[in-house]
Amino acid sequence: MVIGTITTYLGDEIPGLQGAKVCIFAVLRGAVRPDVDVDAEDFYVNEDATLARLGGVTAEDCVDVAPLRADGSTSFVHVAPRAVDLECFTGLKTGAQ
């Protein structure tokens, strides 16, 4: 399961978010590629079954996340860090996942 996972943002591209807990809402497939087609039907994937069918999360993906508030709810503000900048996907940097 990826969608709905709570994890930690470890990157430094989004100021103020480093070390924060975030909730995954979707995967933006191939978003770091220069030739990404943001209009492709399989670009924004928000269902685990579809994501699994498409091969899961890769180092070329970004992830639609929202920071967790102190009460456990999510912020209405969403950001899209690289998948490798989330604790649950750090293995993608080395090819371990």
Side-chain angles (χ1 to χ4, degrees):
M1 183 176 120
V2 172
I3 308 305
T5 295
I6 306 296
T7 190
T8 303
Y9 175 71
L10 302 175
D12 57 12
E13 293 182 329
I14 303 171
L17 196 62
Q18 189 173 34
K21 293 289 185 188
V22 296
C23 180
I24 298 174
F25 283 84
V27 174
L28 305 151
R29 297 190 67 250
V32 299
R33 295 174 47 106
D35 63 342
V36 64
D37 179 3
V38 297
D39 294 322
E41 186 176 314
D42 62 352
F43 173 70
Y44 187 88
V45 179
N46 61 0
E47 296 177 350
D48 283 318
T50 303
L51 185 60
R53 182 176 50 80
L54 295 170
V57 180
T58 73
E60 295 182 338
D61 299 336
C62 286
V63 184
D64 175 14
V65 302
L68 286 183
R69 295 180 177 146
D71 67 0
S73 64
T74 56
S75 169
F76 68 90
V77 176
H78 286 228
V79 293
R82 300 176 310 161
V84 297
D85 288 340
L86 297 180
E87 184 175 47
C88 64
F89 299 125
T90 56
L92 294 174
K93 289 182 181 180
T94 61
Q97 280 193 348

